Amino acid sequence: VRSILRQVIHSYWDVALGWENLSIRRGALALAQERRRITDAAIDAGTVAPTEALAVEQIITTREEEILNAELAITERSLDLRRLAFLEVGPTAIDIKTTATVAAPQRKFDETELVERAVRNSPEIAALIKREAGATIEVEVASNGLLPRLDASLSFGPQGTDQTLDDAAKNLAKGRGYTISAGLSYEQRLANRSARGRTARARAQSHRIQIDLEQARRQVSLAMARAIRLARSARRRMELGERTIALAERNIEAEIARFELGRATNFDVLQRQDELKQARLRYAGATVDFLKAEATIDSLTGDLLDKYGVKIAN
């Protein structure tokens, strides 16, 4: 259940990223269209050459194509999400409009604590621990078949003896005689291949389970460590992305000023706009990477079900 929910959440954020990318590309198209309006006005005023409009028209066509591709990507990701979540698919049920904002929470991760919780709450590890306990009992039972057997017996009671049966019965009733007997028997099977075979199989199975258990612990620990590093890397990329976006916005303003002074062309301005678009796309991608890594972390610790209010029916 954890794995399925994690996949659905990852797919949901992929769809949300698709809508964010579409919004960014539409914003880039709006900037190019505004650039065309300014350029057309400048051409009409005779302050810039008519050839300046060519670069703007080219970039507008390119960005319109990018929007079409972004819309197709949303459709493909929505269909993947519908398949994972068993949602309806039909002529009016294709694209999924996400409502969650693509924004990462301020969260820090204690790797040691999270790894311990992941190992402790892993259903796979819990199942192997139960199997290990059963295998240990089986080894003990099988080993008992190889042990030698020593039985001791002791009996004590009254005894009646005499010349006749009646007199013997009277002596027995009066407790005039007693008998004590003891016995000791020792048994050990020679070779005993059957018991040895069962013991060997039980020990091999127990050893195999112990190896599987150790591998499961290692895999859970590695998965958690990897998810935490992905989250930290995504957070760092987001921080760098914020700085890049701010610098790209300032560079656009500077390039427009240079264009107005005749020191730059529309191609230069549009190139700066494209740098801003790419910075925003990278920032959105880093944010979704963080959210997906967070979902993986919560899945490994077992917090994912409660976080999204998922209840498992008995």
Side-chain angles (χ1 to χ4, degrees):
V1 176
R2 292 184 191 179
S3 177
I4 294 174
L5 180 57
R6 174 179 53 80
Q7 292 177 36
V8 170
I9 293 171
H10 282 197
S11 183
Y12 178 89
W13 286 124
D14 285 337
V15 176
L17 178 60
W19 285 106
E20 187 71 12
N21 287 346
L22 179 60
S23 176
I24 292 170
R25 295 186 188 282
R26 284 174 174 170
L29 175 61
L31 287 177
Q33 291 171 336
E34 176 62 15
R35 195 71 216 154
R36 179 173 61 183
R37 186 191 65 79
I38 294 172
T39 301
D40 290 342
I43 292 173
D44 293 340
T47 56
V48 299
T51 54
E52 286 294 336
L54 296 176
V56 183
E57 291 297 333
Q58 179 182 352
I59 203 67
I60 286 176
T61 302
T62 300
R63 291 179 183 176
E64 286 176 342
E65 183 180 358
E66 290 175 350
I67 288 174
L68 292 175
N69 291 332
E71 291 173 343
L72 180 59
I74 289 174
T75 297
E76 294 294 335
R77 295 175 184 181
S78 295
L79 291 174
D80 288 341
L81 177 56
R82 288 184 181 278
R83 176 180 55 81
L84 285 171
F86 300 99
L87 298 176
E88 180 186 357
V89 178
T92 60
I94 297 179
D95 291 350
I96 296 176
K97 188 67 175 74
T98 55
T99 57
T101 304
V102 180
Q106 293 294 332
R107 179 178 175 182
K108 295 183 178 179
F109 303 101
D110 184 338
E111 185 169 344
T112 301
E113 187 264 342
L114 288 172
V115 168
E116 291 176 354
R117 288 182 58 202
V119 171
R120 185 171 62 250
N121 297 329
S122 169
E124 293 82 6
I125 291 177
L128 286 171
I129 290 176
K130 289 184 179 180
R131 288 182 58 196
E132 182 185 32
T136 301
I137 295 175
E138 187 175 348
V139 169
E140 292 176 357
V141 172
S143 298
N144 287 339
L146 296 175
L147 299 177
R149 180 177 178 179
L150 181 64
D151 292 329
S153 62
L154 177 66
S155 64
F156 171 80
Q159 182 180 26
T161 59
D162 209 318
Q163 297 295 326
T164 65
L165 179 61
D166 290 339
D167 292 337
K170 292 177 181 179
N171 291 336
L172 177 65
K174 293 178 180 180
R176 293 179 176 178
Y178 295 91
T179 180
I180 299 175
S181 63
L184 187 66
S185 65
Y186 175 80
E187 178 183 350
Q188 184 173 14
R189 297 182 180 181
L190 299 178
N192 199 6
R193 294 187 178 89
S194 178
R196 293 181 185 278
R198 288 195 300 270
T199 302
R201 286 194 299 271
R203 286 175 177 170
Q205 183 180 9
S206 176
H207 183 63
R208 178 69 261 178
I209 293 174
Q210 291 174 0
I211 293 176
D212 292 342
L213 182 58
E214 183 60 30
Q215 289 180 342
R217 290 192 177 107
R218 187 179 295 110
Q219 289 173 356
V220 169
S221 299
L222 290 175
M224 177 60 76
R226 182 174 182 272
I228 291 174
R229 279 160 177 74
L230 287 173
R232 289 173 176 169
S233 173
R235 173 67 71 185
R236 180 57 178 160
R237 286 160 51 205
M238 290 170 60
E239 294 170 354
L240 294 173
E242 290 176 346
R243 292 173 53 190
T244 304
I245 290 171
L247 290 171
E249 291 172 341
R250 291 174 58 186
N251 283 332
I252 289 175
E253 295 175 357
E255 207 66 55
I256 290 175
R258 293 181 67 237
F259 176 82
E260 292 173 350
L261 294 174
R263 296 182 178 179
T265 64
N266 262 336
F267 179 82
D268 299 320
V269 176
L270 294 168
Q271 186 175 20
R272 294 301 184 188
Q273 289 182 357
D274 193 65
E275 291 171 357
L276 174 61
K277 177 193 69 177
Q278 294 299 330
R280 286 174 172 167
L281 290 172
R282 289 195 299 272
Y283 180 82
T287 304
V288 168
D289 285 345
F290 180 91
L291 293 169
K292 291 166 72 172
E294 183 184 45
T296 300
I297 292 170
D298 291 337
S299 174
L300 290 169
T301 59
D303 296 333
L304 196 63
L305 300 180
D306 291 339
K307 183 175 181 179
Y308 288 89
V310 177
K311 303 296 182 181
I312 301 176
N314 292 330

